[in-house]
């Protein structure tokens, strides 16, 4: 590993500290280095707040003049919620800028690096670029396609069951795996479940990580027939803020919908396709509200619908060392399924990790 890669790796570690707090902005980390020593460090901490470069410059102070900076994403060149970072680097007297990757945002897209070079600053990009891209996979999809990055999460037994024939599903995985799943929620902007999961489990769909300030994320219930009971926990005063119920247009104008809205929940009408809520239309509407990262937590029918329309980008599947069996036990993916193996969704770039006795498989859905 070169010295430039070593410093960029440290900047990546800083950037990850902002996970769950900056969306739809990207995760960014920055290190200011002078004579081989770090004199300033920073990361983008919250949406609308100062960028990583600004935090690093504030820490470095006068030591930034004549120093280098390592930043995981191209410094911005436009005024948004904060002034341009490229201008701040120029004023501070930075002499070399090492960039992990260019920013595909049309408002930046190379302009930041060009501005720095025009000011006489040496710029080198592409350092640990793959790692930088992986760090901001949700931002990259959102900013280039206008669609959220979609993660499908499931917890199953070794025979692929997510519930017994009686519908019992608590608990398949160990407490440590469930804690990890809450981290996945924390990093997302919205968590989505189908009405079947809501009726079976009555979940809160909150983030529980033992933090003093729990994150408020968008809860999306896909319920074409408006089966959700008014007594559901997601509709109670402590949880209803941020609850969105997605249903078909005729149900959105029904008396039940009015009762749901009276609790404080939002009811969103989305047309159907092949007898189910049109997932791609729903995701476009969510993206229009600034949601860049969606975590789908089931159940089997919603997962099947999301996979069938090509909406899923990544899967996170927890396997517990248990066997349920039974023809009536609930499988991980519902729907009609594939007629031929060649039609199956292929998962690539797979990573495995052991979580106590469970196994987590993470991978990306190969786009055809």
């Amino acid at each position: 590993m070169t010295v430039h890669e070593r410093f960029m790796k440290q900047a990546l570690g800083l950037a990850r500290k902002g996970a769950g707090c900056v969306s739809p902005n990207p995760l960014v980390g920055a290190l200011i280095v002078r004579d081989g020593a770090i004199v300033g460090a920073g990361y983008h901490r919250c949406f609308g707040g100062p960028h990583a470069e600004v935090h690093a410059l504030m820490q470095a102070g006068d030591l930034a003049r004549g120093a280098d900076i390592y930043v995981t994403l191209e410094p911005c060149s436009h005024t948004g919620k904060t002034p341009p970072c490229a201008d701040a680097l120029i004023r501070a007297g930075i002499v070399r800028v090492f960039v992990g990757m260019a920013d595909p945002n049309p408002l930046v897209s190379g302009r930041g690096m060009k501005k720095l070079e025009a000011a006489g600053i040496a710029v080198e990009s592409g350092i640990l670029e793959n790692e930088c891209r992986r760090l901001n996979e949700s931002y990259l999809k959102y900013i280039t396609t206008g669609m959220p990055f979609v993660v499908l999460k499931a917890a199953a037994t070794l025979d692929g069951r997510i519930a017994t024939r009686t519908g019992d599903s608590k608990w398949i995985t160990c407490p440590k795996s469930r804690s990890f799943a809450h981290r996945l929620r924390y990093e997302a902007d919205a968590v989505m479940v189908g009405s079947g999961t809501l009726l079976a489990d009555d979940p809160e769909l909150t983030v529980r990580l033992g933090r003093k300030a729990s994150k408020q994320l968008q809860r999306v219930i896909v319920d074409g027939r408006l089966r959700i009971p008014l007594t559901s926990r997601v509709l109670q005063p402590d949880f209803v803020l941020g609850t969105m119920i997605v249903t078909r247009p005729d149900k959105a104008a029904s008396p039940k919908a009015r009762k749901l809205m009276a609790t404080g929940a939002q009811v969103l009408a989305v047309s159907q396709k092949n007898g189910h809520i049109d997932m791609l239309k729903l995701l476009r509407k969510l993206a229009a509200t600034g949601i860049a990262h969606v975590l789908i937590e089931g159940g089997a029918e919603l997962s099947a619908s999301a996979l069938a329309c090509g909406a899923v980008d990544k899967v996170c599947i927890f396997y517990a060392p248990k066997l349920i069996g039974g023809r009536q036990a609930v499988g991980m993916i519902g729907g009609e399924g594939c007629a031929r193996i060649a039609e199956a969704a292929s998962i690539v770039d797979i990573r495995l990790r052991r979580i106590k006795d469970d196994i987590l498989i993470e991978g990306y859905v190969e786009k055809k």
Side-chain angles (χ1 to χ4, degrees), residues 128-280:
L128 297 185
E129 182 171 357
N130 288 339
E131 289 89 335
C132 292
R133 295 186 68 84
R134 177 66 60 84
L135 173 74
N136 274 310
E137 55 195 9
S138 59
Y139 168 75
L140 294 180
K141 183 183 180 187
Y142 176 75
I143 205 68
T144 58
T145 69
M147 293 285 279
F149 185 80
V150 178
V151 178
L152 175 61
K153 172 253 173 183
T157 57
L158 290 180
D159 54 345
R161 310 295 189 176
I162 61 173
T164 68
R165 59 182 172 78
T166 64
D168 182 32
S169 61
K170 292 184 177 180
W171 295 98
I172 288 177
T173 54
C174 69
K176 196 169 182 180
S177 290
R178 298 199 295 273
S179 179
F180 191 99
H182 275 277
R183 179 69 196 183
L184 294 178
R185 282 187 188 177
Y186 185 79
E187 293 179 356
D189 301 326
V191 57
M192 181 185 296
V193 299
S195 58
T197 295
L198 185 127
L199 290 170
D201 299 337
D202 192 18
E204 295 175 358
L205 299 179
T206 55
V207 175
R208 298 185 293 279
L209 287 173
R211 298 166 185 265
K212 289 182 179 179
S214 182
K215 176 181 175 178
Q216 175 65 52
L217 79 167
Q218 180 73 62
R219 291 179 291 280
V220 181
I221 317 296
V222 181
D223 186 4
R225 290 180 284 168
L226 279 193
R227 297 189 295 163
I228 180 172
L230 293 171
T231 55
S232 298
R233 285 197 279 186
V234 293
L235 298 178
Q236 302 316 302
D238 289 343
F239 306 121
V240 72
L241 180 65
T243 295
M244 175 189 291
I245 300 154
V246 181
T247 192
R248 61 189 200 227
D250 61 315
K251 289 292 185 179
S254 67
K256 175 70 173 289
R258 289 193 289 273
K259 290 179 182 178
L260 291 168
M261 287 187 284
T263 69
Q266 180 184 355
V267 174
L268 178 67
V270 177
S271 60
Q272 290 187 306
K273 186 175 183 180
N274 300 325
H276 299 282
I277 295 295
D278 189 322
M279 184 64 65
L280 294 179

Side-chain angles (χ1 to χ4, degrees), residues 39-62:
V39 296
Y43 66 95
H44 188 29
R45 299 178 182 180
C46 63
F47 177 71
H51 290 184
E53 299 94 321
V54 174
H55 283 296
L57 288 171
M58 290 173 62
Q59 190 177 105
D62 293 339

